[in-house]
Amino acid sequence: MNTRPKKRIVILGGGFAGVYTAMHLEKALRRHDDLEIVLINKENYFVFQPMLAEVVSGSIGLLDTVSPIRRMLPRTDLHVREIESIDIEKSIVTTTPGFNPHPSVINYDHLVLAVGNVTDFRGLRGLPEHAIPFKNLSDALYIRNHVIHILEEAATEHKCEGLREQLLTFVVAGGGFSGVEVVAELNDFIREVIKNYPQLNAREVRVVLLHALDRILPELDEKLALYAQKILARRGVEVRLNARLEAATGCEAILSGGERIPTKTLISTVPSSPNPLIDALPLPKERGRLKVDASLLVQGTNNIWAMGDCALVPTPDGGFCPPTAQFAIRQAKTTAHNIVTSIRGGERKLFQFKELGKLGVLGHRSAVAQVFGVNVSGFLAWFLWRTIYLMKLPGWGRRLKVASSWTLDLFLPPELVQLQLTNSRGVSHEHFEPGEEVFHQGDVGDRIYIIARGHAEVVREDAAREVRLAHLGPGEYFGEMALLNQTTRNATVRCAEALDVISIHKREFSVLAANLPSMRESLEKVMSARSKTSEMLMSVELSHFQN
Ligand SMILES: Cc1cc2nc3c(=O)[nH]c(=O)nc-3n(C[C@H](O)[C@H](O)[C@H](O)COP(=O)(O)OP(=O)(O)OC[C@H]3O[C@@H](n4cnc5c(N)ncnc54)[C@H](O)[C@@H]3O)c2cc1C
């Protein structure tokens, strides 16, 4: 009987790198019982990201791209938690509390860092508030629901020209694989389902792809990238090259040259940044990725391993591995082998893998592929894409589900059901640019706004004049009158200097006002003082006007 204590291997992240490492470690457990595997991931499922764009268009079902980690890894102790911190000195990982209000602390003998990277909009004006990332299942679901909601709104508001233009313009920023795939699927989906909206005209739909460089898909051979550009343009996607997204508001995408594209849908797959967990670690990094040696051990350590998108893994030819699933899966096998040899003894392997190819779908049964150095495009590339990725899906059950979704999709129209996943519009953050209106006099009042940063002007229009009633700054709020008096807006609020606000929907606001009498009282006092001031200002203006 083995009396030695088990070595605990803690894997952070349940993506390609983390899950495949645990799978290979489980194989090493078959004949020995000397290891304990713990995997910590935010979700209890593994996402097959290459097929995520198809969830947006509904070509495959909502759950077809995900697999429950527990079924994939029966001998691994799964913790579905957010990782809060990693203490390398003490060899512990802390996760956020669940129902038990204490953070949980897990110690490790070997640590595997596989937390991927993140789409980080920080520092880009208005993007954290208004741009939608495209990285995981919840993003794909959100985009799908949002687009259906937008089409419903456009059909109802089809007589309101400015708004209709914003609603029918869909912008995707980032011309890499994920940006191109999502814009292609989105374009196909919108142009197909718009037939169900007799009030809308497909010719008014604009689907725009913004890319900062002079050609899309920089990872691919130029010929294939130009082919992809041509195919997208033929299907109605406006491909805007050398166009960098700089800022956003709730109704515009703003480019670096100052051009403004009216839109209520902005999806951005860029910029890709290091996971904040990795950023905080006192370990060697380059370009935000952990520096590892060819055995996947983090430089300067003897029990910390890293791979996948969060690591900079050297290749035998002196370069570095690209951040793709194809590499993450192979790196996972090497890592698992090397962890086992460092515990049981044996020779470590060095990571050596030559990329097999690159594939990207362009919707409508076409794709581009570079396989073993050969360029393929059109239907054949699409067929290759589907066959290769179908076989890469984990488990036959999942493969069967996807194959049947794809078959049905050939004959049936796409689903158009908008899932209302939440019944609360709650509290949100919004950004406005100078000159933009937060709301207009006469609008229905549905939110109250608290200024976090910037300034706003309150103006009232009367007899073709505009009277400035107030200038508001950080810490002040507006929009309460229409909510408390249940009337329409009695003034216009316009952004004077780049404005970040916290807006509270009237439902949540009513709950607060009903349960916090002191808050309601103070709001009513402010409201009455503001009413008096505005009456006075309006009568002064009127007398000026009459004189
Ligand atoms: C839309 C899209 C399409 C793609 N298509 C392809 C393709 O066709 N071919 C290809 O080879 N590659 C493709 N990629 C790239 C590929 O998916 C990545 O390279 C791969 O997922 C990297 O694996 P990873 O394990 O390093 O990171 P990820 O797969 O991102 O996994 C990281 C995991 O860590 C978890 N995590 C992160 N932070 C925390 C935390 N604080 N607490 C708890 N859990 C945390 C995340 O929830 C996630 O499960 C695509 C990527 C995207 C976004």
Side-chain angles (χ1 to χ4, degrees), residues 330-347:
R330 272 80 181 188
Q331 290 162 2
K333 189 173 180 189
T334 309
T335 304
H337 172 89
N338 290 343
I339 293 175
V340 173
T341 54
S342 49
I343 294 170
R344 294 183 189 155
E347 209 170 306

Side-chain angles (χ1 to χ4, degrees), residues 73-92:
L73 302 170
R75 301 186 71 179
T76 298
D77 182 12
L78 173 69
H79 292 226
V80 181
R81 284 280 170 90
E82 175 107 23
I83 304 149
E84 207 165 62
S85 63
I86 305 162
D87 189 332
I88 286 170
E89 292 286 308
K90 296 186 184 141
S91 297
I92 53 171

Side-chain angles (χ1 to χ4, degrees), residues 282-439:
L283 291 173
K285 275 163 260 169
E286 198 180 315
R287 287 175 261 157
R289 294 168 79 188
L290 289 160
K291 283 168 91 170
V292 296
D293 63 21
S295 70
L296 282 317
L297 196 57
V298 176
Q299 287 180 11
T301 70
N302 59 13
N303 65 340
I304 303 178
W305 311 79
M307 77 204 118
D309 288 3
C310 72
L312 198 63
V313 181
T315 52
D317 60 6
F320 295 102
C321 301
T324 63
Q326 197 180 144
F327 277 87
I329 290 173
R330 272 80 181 188
Q331 290 162 2
K333 189 173 180 189
T334 309
T335 304
H337 172 89
N338 290 343
I339 293 175
V340 173
T341 54
S342 49
I343 294 170
R344 294 183 189 155
E347 209 170 306
R348 278 194 200 159
K349 278 187 187 156
L350 300 185
F351 181 69
Q352 282 181 331
F353 169 69
K354 255 194 134 192
E355 193 173 43
L356 303 174
K358 296 169 190 149
L359 301 124
V361 264
L362 306 171
H364 255 308
R365 285 167 225 169
S366 67
V368 277
Q370 220 169 302
V371 190
F372 299 116
V374 179
N375 286 354
V376 192
S377 57
F379 180 80
L380 183 62
W382 175 80
F383 187 74
L384 263 177
W385 186 93
R386 285 214 157 171
T387 314
I388 292 173
Y389 282 118
L390 190 67
M391 295 323 288
K392 293 255 171 258
L393 273 171
W396 279 103
R398 193 69 42 205
R399 284 174 208 155
L400 263 175
K401 278 189 182 167
V402 169
S404 58
S405 291
W406 278 344
T407 313
L408 289 174
D409 184 55
L410 295 175
F411 307 105
L412 301 175
E415 276 296 350
L416 193 49
V417 174
Q418 182 198 357
L419 295 175
Q420 306 236 345
L421 297 171
T422 165
N423 61 3
S424 161
R425 292 190 204 167
V427 179
S428 58
H429 295 259
E430 292 182 48
H431 174 81
F432 297 88
E433 286 284 298
E436 202 181 337
E437 285 182 359
V438 178
F439 53 71

Side-chain angles (χ1 to χ4, degrees), residues 140-419:
L141 259 177
Y142 181 85
I143 292 170
R144 182 178 163 75
N145 273 328
H146 169 84
V147 169
I148 299 173
H149 174 62
I150 286 285
L151 291 174
E152 296 299 344
E153 276 295 306
T156 313
E157 297 286 352
H158 65 280
K159 291 200 179 115
C160 183
E161 252 177 55
L163 181 59
R164 197 177 66 218
E165 187 187 358
Q166 289 170 10
L167 291 167
L168 292 180
T169 305
F170 302 84
V171 179
V172 175
F177 277 112
S178 49
V180 165
E181 291 183 353
V182 76
V183 87
E185 290 290 331
L186 197 66
N187 185 57
D188 283 0
F189 176 66
I190 295 166
R191 293 189 190 280
E192 179 61 35
V193 298
I194 203 153
K195 295 172 192 158
N196 299 103
Y197 296 86
Q199 307 85 342
L200 304 179
N201 185 340
R203 277 194 298 258
E204 283 185 86
V205 171
R206 272 181 83 191
V207 179
V208 185
L209 175 66
L210 302 175
H211 187 56
L213 304 176
D214 59 2
R215 73 166 169 98
I216 59 168
L217 297 172
E219 307 89 339
L220 276 187
D221 182 84
E222 190 173 0
K223 263 195 201 152
L224 283 181
L226 293 178
Y227 172 84
Q229 255 165 238
K230 201 174 74 190
I231 288 285
L232 289 177
R234 198 185 295 158
R235 305 241 170 84
V237 177
E238 273 177 52
V239 182
R240 300 284 307 273
L241 302 172
N242 300 310
R244 188 179 290 277
L245 176 69
E246 191 174 83
T249 70
C251 46
E252 280 175 338
I254 303 168
L255 309 193
S256 53
E259 186 189 346
R260 289 163 180 255
I261 304 178
T263 184
K264 291 241 175 246
T265 308
L266 173 62
I267 299 163
S268 183
T269 58
V270 283
S272 173
S273 306
N275 189 308
L277 274 175
I278 300 295
D279 235 6
L281 285 178
L283 291 173
K285 275 163 260 169
E286 198 180 315
R287 287 175 261 157
R289 294 168 79 188
L290 289 160
K291 283 168 91 170
V292 296
D293 63 21
S295 70
L296 282 317
L297 196 57
V298 176
Q299 287 180 11
T301 70
N302 59 13
N303 65 340
I304 303 178
W305 311 79
M307 77 204 118
D309 288 3
C310 72
L312 198 63
V313 181
T315 52
D317 60 6
F320 295 102
C321 301
T324 63
Q326 197 180 144
F327 277 87
I329 290 173
R330 272 80 181 188
Q331 290 162 2
K333 189 173 180 189
T334 309
T335 304
H337 172 89
N338 290 343
I339 293 175
V340 173
T341 54
S342 49
I343 294 170
R344 294 183 189 155
E347 209 170 306
R348 278 194 200 159
K349 278 187 187 156
L350 300 185
F351 181 69
Q352 282 181 331
F353 169 69
K354 255 194 134 192
E355 193 173 43
L356 303 174
K358 296 169 190 149
L359 301 124
V361 264
L362 306 171
H364 255 308
R365 285 167 225 169
S366 67
V368 277
Q370 220 169 302
V371 190
F372 299 116
V374 179
N375 286 354
V376 192
S377 57
F379 180 80
L380 183 62
W382 175 80
F383 187 74
L384 263 177
W385 186 93
R386 285 214 157 171
T387 314
I388 292 173
Y389 282 118
L390 190 67
M391 295 323 288
K392 293 255 171 258
L393 273 171
W396 279 103
R398 193 69 42 205
R399 284 174 208 155
L400 263 175
K401 278 189 182 167
V402 169
S404 58
S405 291
W406 278 344
T407 313
L408 289 174
D409 184 55
L410 295 175
F411 307 105
L412 301 175
E415 276 296 350
L416 193 49
V417 174
Q418 182 198 357
L419 295 175

